Amino acid sequence: MSYQSRIRKDLERWIEAGWVDADQRDVILGDVASSGRAWNAAGALSILGAVLLAMSAISFVAANWDAMPKLLAFVFLVTAIWGALLGAGKAFDRNAPTLGHALALLGALLFGAAIALTAQTFNMSSFRNTAVLIWAFGALATAVIIPSRPLLILATVLSAFWVTLEIFNPAAPQIMWSYLAVWSLMMVAAARLGSRVSANLLGLALLFWVSNAIWRELGQFTPFDVEIISLHPLIYGALALLAAQGRNRGIAGLGVISAWLGLAAVIGGAVLQWPLGGIQTEVREYGMDADELYVSGAYWLSGGIAVAAVAALSFLQTGELSRRVLTSASLTAAALAAFVVPLIGHITAPEVIFVVRLLIGAAYYALCVALILIGSRDGFRTTGTMGIIGFTLQTFYVYWETFEGLLTASVFFLGAGLLLFGLSFALMRWRSRLLPAGKGVTS
C-alpha cells in the first residue's frame, strides 16, 4: 500500500474520531500528493533519457575518434557538459525540477566521458583508478550544489565502483582505509539531501568493504575459516550499534546503515552455527594436532574490541536503566558466544561440544528475543523485524540438526508455535505495563 493510500485511510479514521477537522482533508491530501511528485514515471523516463543521451555522445565521439581532431572532440564534450549544466539551471529556475535533475545527471555522465577521452588523448595512464574517484567527487560536488538526489546516487555508485576496482588492484593497499573517508563524505551528503536510496547503497557498500577487510586481515593467518565467519557478525553488530547511536541523536541516514549492519549481524550469527557440527569431525578424521588449532592474534584483538564495543554501545542506548541492562546482557552474551566459537575445535568430548552448541544457540535465541522486545518500541520496527528473521532462521537450524520424519516435525512445529504464542502474550503484557492507564495495547 502506498503512502498516499495509507494517509487517505488514516484520515478517514482520524476525522471519524474527531482528531482532524473534515475541512482539512483536501488540504492534507493535496500536500501529500505534491510532496510525492519527486519520483514518478516522467522523472524516471527523463533520467533514462539522460543516460541514453550520454551514451549517444560517447558513442559518436568514439566512432569518429580517428577522423575527428582531438581538440574538436575535447571542445565537443566540454560544450556538451556546460550545455547540460546550464540547461539544468534554467530548468530549476522555471520550476521544472524533473528536467533539471535529468540534465544535471547528463552533465555528470559526460564529465566521466571527458575524463576518459582526455586521458586517452594525452596518453595518460595510471596503475590506480583515480579517474573514477575524480568522477565520483565531481558528481558529489554537483549533487550538493544543485542539490540533486539522482546525482548523489550516481556519486554513491561511482565511489563503490572505485573501491571495488581498488580491492582487485594488486597495486592498491591490502585494506582500502581511504574508502572510509570517501564513504563518510557520501554519507554526509546523503543525510543533508535526505536520500534514502543513497543511504541504502552506502549500507550495502559498507557491508562489502567490511567483509573484504576481514578476509584481507585474517585470510592468510587462520587455518580454519571459522574465525572469519565468527568475526563478521561481531564487527557488523558493533558497527550497527554505533550507527544506532547516531540515529538516536537525529543524524539522518544512519538508521538505514544500522539496519543493514544489524541484519547482516543477525544472518551472520545464524550462519555461524552451521560449521560447528563439522569442526570436530574434521579434527578427528585428519588427526590435527593441538598446535594446528591455534587462534590468530588478529582475531583475538579484533574480536575482543568488537565484543567490548557491543557491550558498551548496547548499554548506552536510550531507554530505562533496567531495559538497557537487559538488552546489553542479551547482546553481549550473543557476542561472547560468537567470539568463542573458534575454540570449539579444541574440545574432544562430543558431550561437551553438544552442551557448548546448546549454549551458543540459547545465546542466539536470547539475542533474537531482545531484538523483538526492542522492536516493540515506537520507531524501532526494523529492529523487531531482524529479531523475527533471526528467530526463524535459528528455529529452522534447530529442526535441521535435530528432527527427522513427519511425526517429529509436527511435534517440533507444535512446540515452536506454542513458544511463539507464549512470547507474544508475554510481550503484550510487558507493553501494557509500559503504556499509561487507559490507552490499551494494539497489535
Side-chain angles (χ1 to χ4, degrees), residues 387-438:
I388 294 173
I389 292 174
F391 196 99
T392 303
L393 291 175
Q394 180 66 11
T395 301
F396 277 107
Y397 167 73
V398 172
Y399 168 71
W400 179 274
E401 292 286 333
T402 309
F403 296 93
E404 295 180 0
L406 295 177
L407 181 59
T408 53
S410 64
V411 174
F412 170 76
F413 287 118
L414 173 63
L418 293 175
L419 176 61
L420 290 178
F421 270 111
L423 287 174
S424 176
F425 178 75
L427 179 58
M428 287 189 291
R429 291 291 301 273
W430 179 71
R431 290 188 62 189
S432 65
R433 294 179 181 178
L434 298 179
L435 291 174

Side-chain angles (χ1 to χ4, degrees), residues 297-312:
Y299 175 81
W300 287 124
L301 177 62
S302 303
I305 293 175
V307 171
V310 168

Side-chain angles (χ1 to χ4, degrees), residues 136-137 140 144 152-153 155-157 159-160 179-206 239 242-244 246-247 250-261:
F137 281 147
L140 174 63
V144 173
L152 181 59
I153 294 172
T156 304
V157 172
S159 65
Y179 177 66
L180 293 180
V182 177
W183 187 93
S184 299
L185 288 175
M186 296 292 171
M187 192 66 232
V188 170
R192 179 178 177 181
L193 301 184
S195 176
R196 292 187 62 85
V197 175
S198 295
N200 279 284
L201 292 174
L202 287 169
L204 291 172
L206 185 60
L239 291 177
L242 182 62
R247 183 255 192 195
I251 302 177
L254 287 186
V256 175
I257 304 300
S258 179
W260 277 112
L261 291 167

Side-chain angles (χ1 to χ4, degrees), residues 1-14 25 28-36:
M1 182 183 296
S2 67
Y3 175 68
Q4 294 186 34
S5 299
R6 293 199 307 270
I7 287 293
R8 192 180 301 275
K9 288 188 175 183
D10 288 339
L11 269 179
E12 298 300 330
R13 178 167 54 85
W14 296 338
R25 178 197 288 113
I28 295 175
L29 292 177
D31 179 74
V32 172
S34 62
S35 63

Side-chain angles (χ1 to χ4, degrees), residues 241 307-317 320-338 359 362-371 373-374:
L241 289 169
V307 171
V310 168
L313 292 172
S314 57
F315 181 77
L316 293 175
Q317 296 297 317
E320 299 176 354
L321 178 61
S322 58
R323 182 188 302 172
R324 288 190 287 121
V325 170
L326 178 61
T327 301
S328 178
S330 301
L331 299 185
T332 304
L336 286 172
L359 293 175
Y364 187 79
Y365 265 130
L367 167 67
C368 296
V369 172
L371 294 177
L373 292 177
I374 295 173

